[in-house]
Amino acid sequence: MAKKGLNVTKQSKKGCVYLVGAGPGDADLITVKGMRLLQSADVVLYDRLAPAELLQHVRDDTETIYVGKVPQKTNGKRQEHINALLIEHAQAGKSVVRLKGGDPFVFGRGGEEALACAEAGVEFELVPGVSSSIAVPAYAGVSVTHRDYNTMFAVFSGHNDPADQHDLADYTALAYIAEHGTLVILMGVMFLDNILAKLMAHGLPSTAPAMMIEQGTTQNQRVVEGAVGSLAQIAAENSIKAPAATVIGKVTELRHKGMQWFDVKNFIHEEAEGEQ
């Protein structure tokens, strides 16, 4: 008797695009599913903010393509080109991982890439990642919500200059959240002074507590603190550079009430290494 399935025509491998969140910087924060897909991928397109250490886990024959964008510069890969690469490799029957810093759908253009795949008839899956909007404050000793402090928080993109007429941000609402809840600003290094000035012009007290966290969750994490009215100057004096997150709200006080852990741990580790 013939074995079952011998006469079945073998179908060509169907490609798929996996939009994988790599997390905020610490390579250990990638999800189990994200790591599994990375290890089995035929092609990996990775961002500037995706932890470079994760590429150590791909197969030897995996093609890796850097498609990172540089803030405020034009020499990064344009989004249309990235979309085309995803579609091209998936249509060739390959398993494609689009490795993105943080979460693909939080200021990561994952929605644009998903829609491009859908329009091209390419199968895709979303693998959420740990968002820097929550993880970076946590590594600085700050819980973005705390029942003794607030009942709300908002994440705001500081990518645009508030002086731009096309900026649609509601600064009255953002100022209210910053004063009564927690406001997290991502990608706001370049326009920080203007953003904070606009928040204060719309009701946020200049004395509101705030902090900036550079390269959060990594061994290079740095934290500066100050009132909203002086934070931009403090950041400039300390040469804070992107990637950095700004946190405004009373929850920033938690860092000095026992929740500061990561940079303290790093300091102890560095001190111990220096003694060897």
Side-chain angles (χ1 to χ4, degrees):
M1 181 182 288
K3 288 187 179 179
K4 213 171 183 181
L6 279 181
N7 296 325
V8 176
T9 303
K10 185 177 181 180
Q11 294 182 346
S12 60
K13 182 181 177 183
K14 187 176 181 181
C16 184
V17 171
Y18 299 95
L19 305 171
V20 177
D26 182 346
D28 287 344
L29 294 179
I30 190 171
T31 64
V32 173
K33 184 174 183 178
M35 177 62 79
R36 176 172 57 79
L37 291 169
L38 188 64
Q39 292 171 331
S40 62
D42 299 312
V43 181
V44 176
L45 281 75
Y46 63 100
D47 269 356
R48 181 177 65 92
L49 296 180
E53 307 96 293
L54 290 176
L55 297 179
Q56 299 172 4
H57 299 281
V58 303
R59 302 193 320 254
D60 291 340
D61 61 340
T62 298
E63 182 179 0
T64 57
I65 305 171
Y66 176 70
V67 291
K69 305 182 187 73
V70 180
Q72 306 302 323
K73 294 185 180 180
T74 57
N75 59 347
K77 301 293 185 182
R78 293 188 63 84
Q79 188 61 52
E80 294 81 1
H81 177 61
I82 297 172
N83 294 349
L85 285 173
L86 294 173
I87 292 166
E88 175 189 341
H89 287 292
Q91 288 179 336
K94 297 177 181 178
S95 172
V96 184
V97 164
R98 175 69 170 103
L99 194 63
K100 307 173 75 68
D103 180 274
F105 282 5
V106 180
F107 306 134
R109 299 198 177 186
E112 296 176 40
E113 292 165 356
L115 288 173
C117 289
E119 186 176 348
V122 168
E123 183 180 341
F124 69 90
E125 289 187 22
L126 173 71
V127 182
V130 177
S131 173
S132 59
S133 61
I134 300 171
V136 168
Y139 269 57
V142 174
S143 170
V144 293
T145 64
H146 190 292
R147 65 178 181 170
D148 292 337
Y149 288 83
N150 64 21
T151 58
M152 59 183 169
F153 78 98
V155 185
F156 165 54
S157 169
H159 183 72
N160 297 322
D161 186 344
D164 188 333
Q165 61 179 348
H166 300 295
D167 184 21
L168 300 178
D170 185 339
Y171 279 89
T172 300
L174 292 172
Y176 180 86
I177 293 171
E179 182 177 6
H180 301 284
T182 306
L183 181 64
V184 179
I185 305 172
L186 302 181
M187 302 179 291
V189 175
M190 177 168 286
F191 300 120
L192 180 66
D193 201 357
N194 293 349
I195 291 169
L196 296 180
K198 192 141 186 183
L199 287 169
M200 287 186 287
H202 284 76
L204 179 63
S206 62
T207 55
M211 63 168 54
M212 285 194 78
I213 309 146
E214 178 187 84
Q215 297 192 52
T217 79
T218 75
Q219 298 301 314
N220 297 316
Q221 174 174 300
R222 289 198 299 152
V223 181
V224 296
E225 302 172 73
V228 165
S230 58
L231 185 65
Q233 180 180 345
I234 293 170
E237 290 172 350
N238 286 274
S239 301
I240 296 295
K241 296 180 175 61
T246 302
V247 185
I248 305 172
K250 292 180 180 179
V251 291
T252 57
E253 299 172 0
L254 293 168
R255 172 174 168 83
H256 299 292
K257 291 191 173 182
M259 283 184 56
Q260 184 179 357
W261 65 278
F262 181 67
D263 40 1
V264 171
K265 181 179 177 181
N266 283 348
F267 176 77
I268 294 172
H269 177 68
E270 289 170 5
E271 192 176 57
E273 285 185 341
E275 293 172 353
Q276 292 177 1

